[in-house]
Amino acid sequence: MGSSSSSHSFMKKTTLSREDNEIVVAETAQNLTSEDYGDGKYSLSKANMLDKCRTVEDIQRCFKRTFSVLLIFPKMGNQYRAFCNAIEKTNFKESYARDSNTAIEICKEYSYDLIIIDATNRKVLDAKDLCQKLRPKNPRTVMVAVRQRTYFPSLLKSISKKNSSYFAAGFSRDFLQNDSVVACHDALLCFEKEVKAMDQLGFLNAVFSAVENCQETVEISNVNHELQYVNMAYERLLGYNSNDVVGKMWFEFISCDRNSPDLCMKIKQQLDSAIRWEGFSYIKRKSGEQVGNLFRIFPILESGKVMNFIGIRRFTDQRQSEQKFAIESPSSNNQNEVSSPVSEVNNQAGTRRISNGFKERLHSITAQSQHSIYSMHNIFNEVVVLLSSIKAFQCPQQVYQIIDKACDMLKSSDKASHGISTFKEDDELIGELMDGLMTTSIPTNNEDDNRGRRRSTYYAASKSLLRSVSRVADDRHSISISPIPIAAAMHSSAVEIRRLLDGIFHWNFNVIKLEELTNKRPLLYAGLKIFQAFEVYAFLNTDAATFKNWLDVIELNYSAQNPYHNSTHAADVLQAAASLCRQEKIVEILDDMDVVSTLIAAAIHDLDHPGKTNSFLINSSHKLAILYNDVSVLENHHTALAFRLTFKDNTANIFQRVEKDEYRVLRQQIIDMVLATDMTKHFDYLNRFNDVIRRPSIDVSIGITGVKIYPVEFRTVVKRMLIKCCDVSNPTRPLDACIVWARRIAEEYFRQTDEEKARGLQVVMPVFDRAKCNLPKTQISFMNLFIINMMDSWNDFCPMEDLMHNLETNFEYWQQEESATKEKAGKVSHVT
């Protein structure tokens, strides 16, 4: 742990916390899903743990993370070794810097919890000056100055003055030289407590900011039910100013004629018993209007005592407000009830976390059926509204449990069953609901039958809501529902998504359109469709839910900030690989494991791409370049992170049921293909491919079933070239897509050039200077250098008419654009 390269391997960017701006206090106190501080990635098991939290102390215990320490010592003397040994005993993460410049560079990449600086020799290392430089970028870091110990009382006064000067420079603490490991260990534990206090302050600030910006109204009251705080959504949606409501009883605002007279009293009784209440109610706006809302209020316990109450309201739309909901729907009296995990929702306004939304609606509808307030026809309509409301959510697996409950409720009455049967199969809404929640199996072609591919039983279909509901309710243990994401599938564009995905194996598939329709989640949708069609679930002996979770995790770890290297590019490469794997030539050569490894490699091949090239990382001494010794830096990072994320949680581990020997082969194939995408080895792989496919004969054996078995070496070369062609397939796509991709990669390179100039680094690609870049010329050069020869060789091996036609069309387009650019430049030059 003494080098910065090894210690930096645990520092990865966060995925969810940086995008989730709308976390209400309820989710924070009851079922907030946090990032895993250990390596900064999303943890499903952490979400389950937080679901069970009931007190502030419980929440604090859930937020454990690795404590990081940076030691800045010019010499690795006794004091340095004592701190190293103490850090090892405390299981902290340690990094080391020898001088100021190295320390400053390291701190640019990562913010440490504790920085210990050797201040014993100012001539060798000016600790005060270094602290002043580091402090602005590390405001919460505890900085400690290691100072010389003196045994002369006459020097104590001067030492006191020096202490003041160190604190004025930005140091938090000082530590008198002591090379005892026990003393260093005790000091580290004290410093850790100080860091935790800073963490809690920062966490509270973040929570407050999230509450202020969330869409739901949030109100906090004291133990006497007096309002102490309301957020901006409360003021905006209800018309009150905070001064109008603070100090008043929260139940004054729900005392209206549309609520039952005893509603307030019942809610207060539950809260005073430390039991939360949730259900549908009405609240008065400042204008006097009474509006319906889904209301949840619960106590916050500290040291076993109720300290505050937090209420959250999610307002229904006007149509839902007019629905005849049951006014009161208290939650279960079972205090051990566990809330549903938080799910993330991508919409036009951004990303937000929502939980228990389905349950709240279901409680309300269930109350109606139990009290027989309305007709069965209306109850069925309410269930349709419930299912329709799913379009506002990115649904977790728990949605299936809710659907089961709704089905049970419907089937509890003969009238309800009769009411469902009156719906026609071609009803548009019913069709959307069915197709959004169930996956149709994809017809197989003769090639797949000849290959003897195993047919998966992980998906089922029906053509009416009645049959779908019945199978879910009565036979849910005999089928497996593919968890197609609900958020966009239930959207008005669901039909477009289904139609678009029907052509996913065509080379001219429009992945940019898929990106638009799915709110930038194309990898999830394309992945589920493709992996299902190739029966990857069955090959890996896993289920669709696990694959959905895995695709979720993988897509979330693609940076949406990158113009090019994002999850849309991953979906594009995956789609291209799927298209090529269905070509007759490839079907003949590759076996099942080859296909599975190819598809998985395509999905992960640019995971967590920073939007910079390998050369940039090497020139800037990036931690990844140091970790992987400047060799295929990004490619090694993509594969390593993909496997680490996969094994991090069993609910997303697609390899957990694969035999060890098969897994080793599969893993090696995936790594080999991702490493093949390193463009620095492009011509080596291309020459090898040309040599192999042009051999006069290939040693092909015949299997027991009569299927040809090609040599491992031959299949490896083919797979490498296949994924390489997919990775840079943009010039072979339809012209519109080609132009979009060209502009995206140019913008990403522009950003790199801008940063290289700003940091004084070598400019790797001067042609991508946004002030003077000639985009058509760069595309022509790229095609001439890399694409044309490679695609020509691939077409000789596996003919692809659409691919070559697009390549020719696009090349001519860029030539015309280049000519127009030259002509325009000539006219400008002539005028000047």
Side-chain angles (χ1 to χ4, degrees):
M1 298 301 296
S3 65
S4 59
S5 60
S6 60
S7 61
H8 285 181
S9 61
F10 72 97
M11 305 168 197
K12 307 297 178 188
K13 68 177 180 61
T14 61
T15 52
L16 298 183
S17 59
R18 67 180 182 183
E19 298 177 352
D20 294 335
N21 335 349
E22 300 175 0
I23 310 171
V24 295
V25 170
E27 269 78 59
T28 304
Q30 297 280 344
N31 51 19
L32 172 67
T33 300
S34 169
E35 62 181 76
D36 180 348
Y37 279 93
D39 57 10
K41 295 296 180 184
Y42 176 60
S43 171
L44 295 174
S45 59
K46 180 80 68 172
N48 295 333
M49 176 167 57
L50 284 167
D51 280 341
K52 302 176 183 178
C53 292
R54 286 294 180 269
T55 68
V56 174
E57 292 84 353
D58 291 334
I59 293 177
Q60 291 174 350
R61 282 193 290 271
C62 288
F63 288 96
K64 294 182 180 180
R65 60 181 181 79
T66 305
F67 191 72
S68 58
V69 183
L70 174 62
L71 299 178
I72 307 176
F73 283 79
K75 296 182 180 180
M76 296 183 179
N78 293 336
Q79 186 65 72
Y80 167 79
R81 286 190 287 271
F83 271 118
C84 288
N85 291 334
I87 290 171
E88 185 177 356
K89 289 180 178 294
T90 52
N91 292 321
F92 294 163
K93 295 292 184 179
E94 173 231 336
S95 297
Y96 172 68
R98 185 182 295 273
D99 52 49
S100 298
N101 293 333
T102 305
I104 292 172
E105 286 299 318
I106 290 177
C107 288
K108 286 181 181 178
E109 301 290 340
Y110 183 74
S111 181
Y112 289 87
D113 299 308
L114 173 64
I115 298 178
I116 302 176
I117 304 176
D118 185 1
T120 58
N121 191 338
R122 186 174 182 180
K123 294 181 180 180
V124 179
L125 178 65
D126 191 339
K128 295 180 185 177
D129 179 68
L130 177 58
C131 181
Q132 290 174 343
K133 292 179 179 178
L134 295 178
R135 176 56 75 187
K137 295 184 178 180
N138 301 272
R140 296 182 185 172
T141 299
V142 174
M143 293 193 179
V144 179
V146 178
R147 300 177 47 246
Q148 287 183 337
R149 178 183 294 274
T150 180
Y151 299 95
F152 301 99
S154 60
L155 298 178
L156 293 178
K157 187 174 182 180
S158 62
I159 290 174
S160 178
K161 292 182 179 179
K162 287 184 178 180
N163 284 347
S164 300
S165 65
Y166 277 105
F167 295 143
F171 280 102
S172 312
R173 297 286 189 93
D174 67 339
F175 178 84
L176 297 181
Q177 272 186 319
N178 190 333
D179 56 9
S180 167
V181 176
V182 175
C184 293
H185 179 269
D186 292 342
L188 288 176
L189 295 180
C190 292
F191 299 150
E192 182 187 23
K193 292 180 180 179
E194 188 169 342
V195 170
K196 287 182 176 180
M198 297 291 290
D199 274 352
Q200 290 178 0
L201 289 175
F203 172 70
L204 291 176
N205 289 334
V207 170
F208 179 77
S209 178
V211 170
E212 277 291 279
N213 291 279
C214 70
Q215 292 184 351
E216 293 81 2
T217 67
V218 180
E219 56 196 65
I220 302 177
S221 56
N222 60 20
V223 69
N224 298 320
H225 301 285
E226 296 174 343
L227 286 172
Q228 294 179 309
Y229 164 83
V230 294
N231 68 344
M232 290 191 296
Y234 189 100
E235 297 179 351
R236 183 178 67 253
L237 295 174
L238 297 179
Y240 296 103
N241 185 280
S242 59
N243 295 329
D244 298 334
V245 297
V246 171
K248 296 183 179 180
M249 302 293 184
W250 61 264
F251 49 78
E252 292 181 18
F253 299 93
I254 66 170
S255 298
C256 53
D257 53 8
R258 300 192 71 174
N259 288 329
S260 61
D262 59 345
L263 177 63
C264 296
M265 184 61 65
K266 290 186 176 181
I267 297 177
K268 285 180 59 180
Q269 288 176 353
Q270 279 197 217
L271 294 178
D272 292 339
S273 301
I275 302 174
R276 71 179 183 178
W277 185 95
E278 58 184 77
F280 191 86
S281 67
Y282 289 90
I283 187 171
K284 292 184 295 187
R285 283 180 173 158
K286 190 173 184 179
S287 62
E289 179 187 3
Q290 299 178 17
V291 291
N293 61 91
L294 300 171
F295 183 42
R296 178 156 56 117
I297 186 169
F298 52 87
I300 294 297
L301 306 178
E302 188 172 344
S303 300
K305 296 182 179 180
V306 176
M307 303 302 294
N308 294 93
F309 299 103
I310 298 180
I312 303 165
R313 300 179 189 276
R314 184 172 301 137
F315 288 86
T316 59
D317 58 27
Q318 186 62 30
R319 176 181 294 182
Q320 291 171 344
S321 297
E322 296 301 322
Q323 297 281 356
K324 295 181 179 180
F325 282 100
I327 298 302
E328 181 184 357
S329 179
S331 65
S332 172
N333 291 329
N334 182 7
Q335 299 185 40
N336 296 324
E337 179 181 351
V338 179
S339 304
S340 300
V342 177
S343 63
E344 51 166 328
V345 178
N346 293 320
N347 53 30
Q348 294 178 354
T351 304
R352 60 192 176 99
R353 293 185 181 180
I354 301 176
S355 65
N356 293 327
F358 306 122
K359 188 192 296 183
E360 292 164 346
R361 298 293 308 278
L362 191 58
H363 277 295
S364 183
I365 296 171
T366 306
Q368 296 175 56
S369 64
Q370 291 174 344
H371 294 90
S372 301
I373 298 176
Y374 305 106
S375 67
M376 286 297 137
H377 178 69
N378 285 336
I379 293 176
F380 176 77
N381 288 338
E382 286 300 297
V383 174
V384 173
V385 173
L386 168 68
L387 297 177
S388 298
S389 68
I390 297 174
K391 68 183 181 183
F393 301 89
Q394 169 66 28
C395 172
Q397 296 170 339
Q398 280 72 15
V399 68
Y400 301 116
Q401 300 173 3
I402 295 170
I403 293 173
D404 287 346
K405 292 180 181 178
C407 295
D408 292 339
M409 183 182 73
L410 286 171
K411 299 186 73 176
S412 63
S413 169
D414 292 336
K415 293 182 180 180
S417 299
H418 176 72
I420 298 177
S421 64
T422 62
F423 279 81
K424 297 181 180 180
E425 292 186 3
D426 58 354
D427 185 285
E428 183 175 356
L429 175 59
I430 299 301
E432 286 196 12
L433 295 175
M434 186 273 292
D435 287 333
L437 297 174
M438 305 287 287
T439 307
T440 56
S441 58
I442 298 178
T444 58
N445 55 27
N446 293 332
E447 294 172 355
D448 288 335
D449 291 335
N450 292 335
R451 295 277 292 167
R453 299 190 183 277
R454 291 167 285 187
R455 301 293 149 226
S456 175
T457 59
Y458 293 108
Y459 17 85
S462 63
K463 297 201 179 210
S464 70
L465 181 62
L466 174 60
R467 290 202 298 273
S468 302
V469 167
S470 300
R471 294 187 71 179
V472 174
D474 294 338
D475 198 25
R476 53 180 173 262
H477 297 295
S478 64
I479 65 173
S480 177
I481 305 175
S482 298
I484 292 295
I486 305 301
M490 293 298 298
H491 191 267
S492 59
S493 60
V495 175
E496 292 183 75
I497 295 176
R498 291 196 299 272
R499 289 175 180 171
L500 187 61
L501 290 176
D502 285 342
I504 198 167
F505 298 111
H506 298 159
W507 185 255
N508 291 338
F509 178 79
N510 190 347
V511 74
I512 304 297
K513 184 66 174 178
L514 183 64
E515 174 193 64
E516 174 188 343
L517 294 176
T518 60
N519 289 323
K520 297 187 177 181
R521 298 299 300 276
L523 183 58
L524 182 60
Y525 286 81
L528 287 172
K529 185 81 171 181
I530 290 170
F531 286 121
Q532 174 183 318
F534 281 94
E535 301 175 5
V536 179
Y537 307 157
F539 182 86
L540 297 178
N541 192 24
T542 187
D543 53 45
T546 302
F547 243 98
K548 191 266 181 185
N549 292 338
W550 182 78
L551 284 168
D552 266 332
V553 172
I554 295 300
E555 184 154 42
L556 287 170
N557 282 276
Y558 273 96
S559 175
Q561 306 302 317
N562 292 340
Y564 183 89
H565 288 102
N566 48 41
S567 67
T568 305
H569 170 63
D572 184 52
V573 175
L574 174 61
Q575 185 276 329
S579 179
L580 294 184
C581 285
R582 288 171 67 93
Q583 300 302 309
E584 183 177 356
K585 181 77 170 181
I586 304 304
V587 170
E588 177 185 329
I589 294 172
L590 302 185
D591 61 19
D592 289 350
M593 182 173 288
D594 292 326
V595 173
V596 171
S597 62
T598 299
L599 297 177
I600 294 175
I604 70 168
H605 83 283
D606 272 331
L607 187 65
D608 194 38
H609 198 291
K612 304 293 188 295
T613 62
N614 278 332
S615 298
F616 176 91
L617 299 183
I618 294 170
N619 292 340
S620 61
S621 299
H622 192 276
K623 59 186 178 183
L624 292 177
I626 296 173
L627 178 63
Y628 295 112
N629 299 316
D630 298 347
V631 178
S632 299
V633 177
L634 287 172
E635 292 72 25
N636 277 297
H637 174 59
H638 302 323
T639 51
L641 179 60
F643 281 102
R644 189 175 67 183
L645 291 174
T646 301
F647 284 100
K648 185 173 182 179
D649 196 291
N650 284 337
T651 61
N653 185 359
I654 59 176
F655 301 125
Q656 59 185 317
R657 297 176 184 171
V658 179
E659 295 293 333
K660 289 184 178 180
D661 292 340
E662 287 189 355
Y663 167 72
R664 291 193 190 99
V665 177
L666 186 64
R667 170 178 160 82
Q668 188 56 46
Q669 290 184 6
I670 294 170
I671 294 173
D672 183 79
M673 277 184 281
V674 175
L675 292 179
T677 61
D678 185 353
M679 291 302 290
T680 62
K681 303 175 182 178
H682 170 80
F683 295 104
D684 292 338
Y685 286 121
L686 179 58
N687 292 333
R688 179 64 176 161
F689 177 72
N690 288 331
D691 290 343
V692 170
I693 65 174
R694 290 169 184 169
R695 289 177 181 174
S697 62
I698 300 174
D699 185 16
V700 179
S701 59
I702 304 298
I704 299 176
T705 59
V707 177
K708 294 182 179 180
I709 301 176
Y710 285 78
V712 174
E713 178 190 7
F714 179 79
R715 288 186 281 122
T716 299
V717 172
V718 170
K719 286 184 295 182
R720 289 172 179 170
M721 188 53 52
L722 185 151
I723 198 169
K724 283 182 61 62
C725 290
C726 297
D727 189 26
V728 291
S729 63
N730 307 149
T732 68
R733 299 293 194 171
L735 179 59
D736 291 344
C738 175
I739 296 172
V740 171
W741 287 119
R743 290 173 178 169
R744 290 187 178 187
I745 191 63
E747 174 58 30
E748 194 164 292
Y749 287 158
F750 289 159
R751 295 181 184 182
Q752 175 172 314
T753 301
D754 292 342
E755 186 170 345
E756 286 168 336
K757 290 181 177 180
R759 295 176 58 179
L761 299 173
Q762 176 188 350
V763 177
V764 178
M765 295 177 289
V767 294
F768 285 101
D769 186 325
R770 67 173 70 248
K772 53 186 178 182
C773 177
N774 185 332
L775 183 59
K777 187 175 181 179
T778 61
Q779 289 300 301
I780 293 171
S781 299
F782 180 73
M783 291 183 186
N784 281 327
L785 183 61
F786 296 108
I787 303 302
I788 294 177
N789 289 337
M790 181 174 67
M791 295 301 178
D792 187 54
S793 295
W794 181 265
N795 188 61
D796 290 342
F797 171 69
C798 178
M800 293 281 292
E801 183 177 350
D802 289 340
L803 183 153
M804 296 306 293
H805 172 74
N806 292 339
L807 179 59
E808 182 179 358
T809 301
N810 296 337
F811 189 77
E812 291 177 355
Y813 168 80
W814 291 118
Q815 284 183 321
Q816 293 172 3
E817 290 294 301
E818 167 65 1
S819 299
T821 302
K822 288 182 178 179
E823 183 178 350
K824 183 178 179 180
K827 290 181 179 179
V828 173
S829 176
H830 179 70
V831 171
T832 56

